[in-house]
């Protein structure tokens, strides 16, 4: 299933993308796409629906983030061997964990707002993992059982805030609109292998990132198990698993986003996003 949320920001309604590309309104079935909705029981109830009986949504409404009420937005740094190489960093001996503020989460096609004082706002296409049931001390072998599904994420980053202003990376990752998420949550059963998904990103039509999740240092199952040692993972939590090469910071000369730039990105089977950069 491809679950989504549509409508004005803050007033999104739950939906489902059918096989013909139509949005079907789920608001008569569930209130929203939340951690409860994407629990195993919730997914089971939705999968039993007769989709043809659900109303089709007219037009092309705005899409919101594909899951509501996310408690934790957890990111993994330097998790692609080829991305680590382009930044001159060593592959970490263990996953690098940092948090992105949940207030950064926005719809997949919402404007990216370049924060005041920014000189180095950058792009990162990433595979998002959405948790479907509480995970604590889970084994790597069982870890994928705790995943509800996957989505596309743009881990927008302000490199000067992240690296030059001291402290943790969170301050360069958490500006409003720095977490476009969606367009939909694709349930786990539709993705045969999360470690073999093509990923791409363009800026103003120019291909910047062209990678594959098969170059991840630490795969999805390892990450879910590893994180569950240090914190419980709750339904609706999102893990953003790192980016392949081609970010602006890794170019020579470096290149960063400015007002008017258009970012497009996507992941095989998970849909695409498009954002226009504006000043905050």
């Amino acid at each position: 299933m491809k679950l989504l949320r549509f409508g004005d920001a803050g007033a999104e309604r739950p939906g489902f993308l059918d096989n013909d590309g139509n949005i079907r309104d789920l608001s008569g079935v569930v209130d929203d796409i939340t951690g409860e909705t994407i629990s195993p029981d919730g997914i089971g109830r939705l999968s039993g629906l007769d989709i043809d009986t659900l109303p089709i949504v007219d037009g092309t409404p705005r899409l919101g983030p594909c899951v509501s009420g996310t408690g934790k937005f957890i990111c993994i740094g330097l998790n692609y061997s080829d991305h680590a190489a382009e930044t001159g960093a060593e592959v970490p001996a263990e996953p690098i964990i940092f948090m992105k503020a949940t207030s950064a989460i926005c719809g997949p096609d919402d404007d990216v707002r370049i924060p005041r004082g920014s000189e180095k706002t950058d792009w990162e296409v990433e595979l998002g993992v959405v948790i479907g049931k509480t995970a604590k001390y889970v084994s790597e072998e069982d870890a994928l059982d705790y995943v509800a599904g996957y989505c596309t994420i743009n881990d927008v980053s302000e490199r000067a805030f992240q690296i030059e202003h001291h402290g943790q990376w969170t301050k360069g990752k958490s500006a409003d609109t720095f977490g476009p998420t969606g367009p939909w949550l694709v349930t786990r059963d539709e993705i045969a292998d999360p470690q073999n998904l093509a990923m791409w990103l363009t800026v103003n039509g120019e291909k910047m990132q062209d990678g594959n999740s098969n170059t991840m240092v630490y795969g999805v199952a390892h990450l879910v198990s590893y994180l569950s040692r240090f914190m419980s993972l709750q339904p609706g939590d999102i893990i953003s698993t790192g980016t392949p090469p081609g970010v602006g910071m890794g170019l020579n000369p470096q290149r960063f986003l400015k007002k008017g730039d258009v970012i497009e990105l996507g992941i095989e089977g998970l849909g695409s996003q498009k954002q226009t950069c504006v000043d905050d």
Side-chain angles (χ1 to χ4, degrees):
M1 287 185 292
K2 293 181 175 66
L3 301 173
L4 55 87
R5 302 170 67 247
F6 65 95
D8 294 339
E12 293 94 346
R13 296 163 64 181
F16 178 101
L17 192 75
D18 70 19
N19 291 332
D20 295 321
N22 299 309
I23 295 176
R24 300 279 183 160
D25 191 343
L26 281 173
S27 57
V29 181
V30 293
D31 292 333
D32 204 347
I33 306 299
T34 65
E36 182 179 359
T37 312
I38 60 174
S39 68
D41 287 344
I43 293 292
R45 287 192 292 270
L46 292 178
S47 63
L49 292 174
D50 182 354
I51 300 304
D52 291 337
T53 65
L54 298 174
I56 293 176
V57 177
D58 293 330
T60 54
R62 169 192 174 269
L63 296 181
C66 56
V67 64
S68 176
T70 294
K72 293 191 289 296
F73 195 169
I74 308 165
C75 297
I76 309 298
L78 299 174
N79 194 35
Y80 281 68
S81 55
D82 37 9
H83 171 57
E86 77 168 343
T87 61
E90 293 185 7
V91 172
E94 294 187 37
I96 294 174
I97 302 170
F98 62 94
M99 295 292 193
K100 200 175 182 86
T102 55
S103 54
I105 297 172
C106 65
D109 301 325
D110 290 347
D111 291 342
V112 165
R113 306 191 69 85
I114 298 176
R116 296 177 187 178
S118 168
E119 297 179 351
K120 298 182 179 181
T121 296
D122 205 347
W123 56 83
E124 295 189 16
V125 59
E126 303 206 1
L127 171 64
V129 178
V130 185
I131 298 299
K133 64 179 181 178
T134 301
K136 188 172 183 179
Y137 303 126
V138 302
S139 68
E140 190 167 338
E141 292 73 22
D142 295 334
L144 293 186
D145 293 340
Y146 295 81
V147 173
Y150 304 95
C151 62
T152 301
I153 290 174
N154 187 357
D155 176 20
V156 187
S157 308
E158 211 299 341
R159 301 303 188 186
F161 296 177
Q162 175 188 353
I163 298 168
E164 300 168 23
H165 286 228
H166 305 288
Q168 298 183 343
W169 290 0
T170 302
K171 68 179 71 172
K173 297 283 189 170
S174 295
D176 293 349
T177 74
F178 270 25
T181 302
W184 37 74
L185 185 159
V186 180
T187 52
R188 188 179 74 242
D189 60 294
E190 291 200 8
I191 303 299
D193 183 5
Q195 303 308 149
N196 188 26
L197 300 175
M199 311 166 69
W200 59 271
L201 182 145
T202 67
V203 178
N204 301 329
E206 180 182 354
K207 181 67 70 68
M208 308 306 294
Q209 293 187 270
D210 188 9
N212 193 292
S213 60
N214 61 19
T215 65
M216 273 190 193
V217 178
Y218 301 105
V220 172
H222 182 87
L223 292 174
V224 171
S225 175
Y226 182 84
L227 289 167
S228 77
R229 292 168 49 194
F230 303 104
M231 66 191 83
S232 62
L233 302 175
Q234 307 294 332
D237 286 352
I238 297 173
I239 306 168
S240 199
T241 57
T243 196
V247 300
M249 180 177 64
L251 301 177
N252 187 17
Q254 293 182 333
R255 175 176 169 183
F256 298 108
L257 295 166
K258 63 185 184 302
K259 179 181 178 180
D261 283 345
V262 176
I263 316 162
E264 296 183 74
L265 61 146
I267 299 178
E268 180 182 357
L270 302 182
S272 59
Q273 305 182 352
K274 182 177 182 179
Q275 299 111 27
T276 300
C277 295
V278 300
D279 289 337
D280 198 2

